[in-house]
Amino acid sequence: MTLVRHCAIWQRHSGRDAMKDSSSRRRVISPRRDPIQLAFKYLSLRDRTAAQLTRYLQRQRVPKKIVREAVARCIELGYLNDRSFAFRWAESRVQRRPMAKPALEAELLAKGFDEPLVAETLARLYGRDTERRFAGEIIRQQQKGGRAVSPARLASLLRQRGFGEEVIAEAIGMEHRDDGDAHGE
C-alpha cells in the first residue's frame, strides 16, 4: 500500500476520531492535513534531522508506520539529509564559536545525530591542526584591542570549550611566542 493510500485511510479514520473526541483536551490533526503536508510545513521552518521530524509527527499523533513512510519520502525527495545537515550545522557552529572536537561531538549527539554520522562529520571538519587553529582564534579574540589576558584565564577559557591540556599549552605557548616576536623580544 502506498503512502498516499495510507494517508487517505488515516485521514478518514482521524476524521471520525476527531468527531468522537471533540471534548478531549488531546489535539487531533485535522483530516484535511496529511502527514506529508505536516512534514513539509515543519521542514520549511529550518533544517531538521530525521529524528526530529519523526518526533514531531509522533507528537501530532500520526501512526508509527505512516511516520516511517513520511520520513522515508522526505529523504527520497531530498528534504531530509542528515549527513549534509550535520556538516553544515557543525561547520557553522565552530565558525561562530570555535571549540574542541569533544565539545562539538557532545553537541551533535545532543542534537539527535547518530554516532557514526557524528564521527564522520568530525573527521571531515577537524583536520590535523584544526583544534590548535581554533584555540589560537579564541586566544586572539580575547586579546583584541591590546587587552592583556593572563595565560591562566586563557587556559580556563579553552578548557571550558573542551580543549585538552596539550592543545592548550601549545596554543598559549605559540601566542606568547608570536607576541614576543612582534615586540622585538
Side-chain angles (χ1 to χ4, degrees):
M1 195 179 285
T2 67
L3 178 61
V4 174
R5 179 80 177 123
H6 275 293
C7 291
I9 292 169
W10 178 72
Q11 284 178 343
R12 276 183 273 158
H13 178 70
S14 294
R16 285 195 300 272
D17 285 350
M19 288 182 234
K20 290 179 193 173
D21 204 19
S22 62
S23 63
S24 169
R25 290 194 180 272
R26 292 191 71 176
R27 195 168 113 191
V28 177
I29 297 172
S30 163
R32 291 182 299 271
R33 294 180 63 196
D34 67 69
I36 289 291
Q37 293 303 315
L38 288 171
F40 289 166
K41 183 176 181 187
Y42 186 64
L43 293 172
S44 72
L45 301 174
R46 63 181 168 90
D47 280 342
R48 311 283 182 157
T49 65
Q52 289 172 322
L53 179 60
T54 298
R55 282 192 301 270
Y56 171 76
L57 291 174
Q58 288 172 341
R59 281 193 313 267
Q60 300 301 313
R61 300 180 61 200
V62 176
K64 286 183 182 180
K65 182 176 182 179
I66 295 175
V67 167
R68 282 191 304 272
E69 291 176 0
V71 170
R73 181 72 176 142
C74 288
I75 290 169
E76 179 185 315
L77 293 172
Y79 288 108
L80 276 177
N81 185 333
D82 281 0
R83 178 170 280 107
S84 65
F85 175 48
F87 185 75
R88 280 192 322 272
W89 186 87
E91 189 175 44
S92 170
R93 185 72 174 114
V94 295
Q95 284 176 352
R96 282 179 290 149
R97 184 173 189 251
M99 64 183 67
K101 196 174 184 177
L104 183 60
E105 179 180 23
E107 288 191 20
L108 286 166
L109 290 170
K111 195 121 179 95
F113 295 109
D114 59 3
E115 288 186 32
L117 180 58
V118 169
E120 179 186 328
T121 300
L122 293 174
R124 280 180 63 195
L125 189 61
Y126 285 88
R128 187 168 166 242
D129 295 323
T130 306
E131 279 193 293
R132 287 178 187 84
R133 186 170 46 84
F134 286 159
E137 287 176 23
I138 292 169
I139 291 171
R140 283 187 292 283
Q141 287 173 358
Q142 292 299 308
Q143 295 174 337
K144 274 185 183 172
R147 288 187 299 181
V149 183
S150 74
R153 170 72 183 117
L154 292 172
S156 174
L157 179 64
L158 292 172
R159 277 187 207 99
Q160 290 171 4
R161 300 267 182 107
F163 291 96
E165 294 301 318
E166 183 180 318
V167 173
I168 292 171
E170 286 180 25
I172 291 174
M174 290 195 63
E175 288 302 315
H176 284 292
R177 275 195 302 273
D178 291 346
D179 287 348
D181 292 343
H183 296 359
E185 295 176 10

